[in-house]
Amino acid sequence: MHFDFLILFVITNSQTTSKEEFLSKIDQYLLEDSLLLNNGDKEYNELEKQMIEQIYRDALKRIKNRLVEQQPIQFNPPTYNQTVIDAFSSKTLLNPQQNLTYNPYDLQNLNTTLNDSVCGVLYPNENDRSTYYLVNYTSAQEAESAGAFITHLHNCGYCSTTKDLAMYMFHFDLTSPIRDCGIVSFISYEASLDCIQHSAGLTYNCAVIWLYDALNTRKDCLDICLYDWIMHIPNNVPANSTILNPCIQCDEDKSGPIFKLVAARTRRDSGLLSAINRPPNSIYNITHYYY
Ligand SMILES: *[C@@H]1O[C@H](CO)[C@@H](O)[C@H](O)[C@H]1NC(C)=O
Ligand SMILES: *[C@@H]1O[C@H](CO)[C@@H](O)[C@H](O)[C@H]1NC(C)=O
Ligand SMILES: *[C@@H]1O[C@H](CO)[C@@H](O)[C@H](O)[C@H]1NC(C)=O
Ligand SMILES: *[C@@H]1O[C@H](CO)[C@@H](O)[C@H](O)[C@H]1NC(C)=O
Ligand SMILES: *[C@@H]1O[C@H](CO)[C@@H](O)[C@H](O)[C@H]1NC(C)=O
Ligand SMILES: *[C@@H]1O[C@H](CO)[C@@H](O)[C@H](O)[C@H]1NC(C)=O
Ligand SMILES: *[C@@H]1O[C@H](CO)[C@@H](O)[C@H](O)[C@H]1NC(C)=O
C-alpha cells in the first residue's frame, strides 16, 4: 500500500484531481512504452528496467482495480404495484408441467449444477398477453431474440409461473409464513399444503416444493432452527449484514440446491428484494414490466 502510493507520487507529482481524472491518468501511464522516462538519471540495465517497469505496472493495475471496485454499479431492484401483480396473477399458462408427485429430496445423486440458462415468458399473441408459454433458453440473448421476456435466471421449474412471480412480488417475506405452515405439518401434510397455498397464494406445485423444502430443513436443521425460532433471531446477523442466521444458512445448504433445481424461481434469480438481506451482486438484473 505504502509502496503503491510512493510510486504514484513519483509519477504524477501533481495536485489533487477528481477520481475520474486520476483514473484516466493511470490509464495514460499504463499505455506509456516506458514508465521510467522521468525517473532521474540513474542508469538501469535492460533486465532491471523490465523488472521495475513490471512492478510499476502491477501497482498501477492494483490501484485502478481498487478505485473501480469501490464504486460498483449495483442493480437496484424495484418494487411492483398492485396493477402489475394483478396482471401477472391472472395469466394462463399454456404448457403446465405434470403435477409433482414425488419428494425430490428423496432422490439420490441429483445433479444440482445450474448453468446460465434463463426461463422466459413467451406470449403467443403480443396483443393479448392473457396466455403465455414458459420456455427454457440457453442464454439471455437467445430469449431476447426469440421475443421472450426473461422471468428468472436458470431453467424453468414449478415456481416459474407468473402467478408465483406475482406472489413473490406481493409477499415481501415468504419465509416466515411458509415456515409457520411447515411447523403445522404435525397436523398433516395436506394441512401444511393448504396453509402455504392460502397464506402465500402460490400455485399448487410451487406450494408442494416449498413444503418439501420446509420438511427437509426441519429434518436436517431442526436443532439449529428451533434455537433461532425460540430466540427470534433475525434473518441476518448482524441485522444489516448479508450474513444469514444459522437456520437460514442451514436451509440454504441442505435444502437450497434441490429447491433451486425443482422450484427454479428464487427471489434473487427473479431480481426481487426479500426479507432476507442478500449481497446486491447476487440479485439478477431483470425487471418485470412485461405484464
Ligand atoms: C441492468 O440491465 C440493464 C438493461 O440490460 C442495463 O442497462 C443496466 O446497466 C444493468 N445494471 C447493472 C447494475 O448492471
Ligand atoms: C404501476 O406500475 C406501472 C409500471 O411501473 C405503472 O405504469 C403504473 O402506472 C402503476 N400503476 C399505479 C396504479 O400506480
Ligand atoms: C394437480 O393436483 C391438484 C391438487 O390435487 C389438482 O387440483 C390438479 O387438477 C392436478 N393437476 C393435474 C394436471 O393433474
Ligand atoms: C452436472 O451438470 C453439469 C451441467 O449441466 C455438468 O457440467 C456436470 O458434468 C454434471 N455433473 C455430473 C456429476 O454429472
Ligand atoms: C426446462 O428445463 C427443465 C430442466 O432443467 C425441465 O424440467 C423443464 O421441463 C423445462 N421446461 C420447459 C418449459 O421446457
Ligand atoms: C443448461 O442445461 C439444460 C438442461 O438442464 C440444457 O438444455 C441447456 O442446453 C444448458 N445450457 C447451457 C448454456 O449449457
Ligand atoms: C439498518 O439499516 C436501516 C436503514 O438502512 C437503519 O435504519 C437501521 O438503523 C440499521 N440497523 C442497524 C442495526 O444497523
Side-chain angles (χ1 to χ4, degrees), residues 38-53:
N38 304 321
N39 209 30
D41 35 29
K42 169 134 178 45
E43 294 287 341
Y44 295 107
N45 68 35
E46 255 336 287
L47 190 64
E48 284 173 331
K49 269 189 187 170
Q50 280 176 17
M51 282 170 54
I52 293 169
E53 287 198 6

Side-chain angles (χ1 to χ4, degrees), residues 138-185:
T138 53
S139 68
Q141 289 77 2
E142 202 204 352
E144 274 153 23
S145 49
F149 299 95
I150 301 168
T151 193
H152 65 74
L153 184 62
H154 305 308
N155 278 327
C156 305
Y158 285 112
C159 295
S160 300
T161 73
T162 61
K163 166 80 173 159
D164 294 309
L165 169 62
M167 292 304 107
Y168 278 39
M169 287 171 170
F170 184 75
H171 299 282
F172 177 68
D173 182 4
L174 272 172
T175 309
S176 311
I178 292 180
R179 179 183 55 214
D180 290 341
C181 293
I183 290 172
V184 302
S185 64

Side-chain angles (χ1 to χ4, degrees), residues 221-278:
C221 312
L222 186 61
D223 293 347
I224 296 171
C225 286
L226 274 182
Y227 177 84
D228 282 5
W229 296 342
I230 291 167
M231 302 305 284
H232 297 290
I233 306 291
N235 291 340
N236 300 96
V237 187
N240 282 2
S241 76
T242 55
I243 302 166
L244 304 178
N245 78 28
C247 174
I248 293 176
Q249 185 66 58
C250 185
D251 170 73
E252 181 97 358
D253 297 340
K254 303 286 186 180
S255 305
I258 288 181
F259 181 84
K260 286 174 190 161
L261 190 70
V262 178
R265 184 187 292 287
T266 63
R267 305 186 78 90
R268 275 167 290 165
D269 286 349
S270 307
L272 299 173
L273 289 174
S274 85
I276 303 169
N277 197 28
R278 301 287 191 172

Side-chain angles (χ1 to χ4, degrees), residues 73-75 285:
I73 313 148
Q74 285 173 354
F75 172 53
N285 177 7

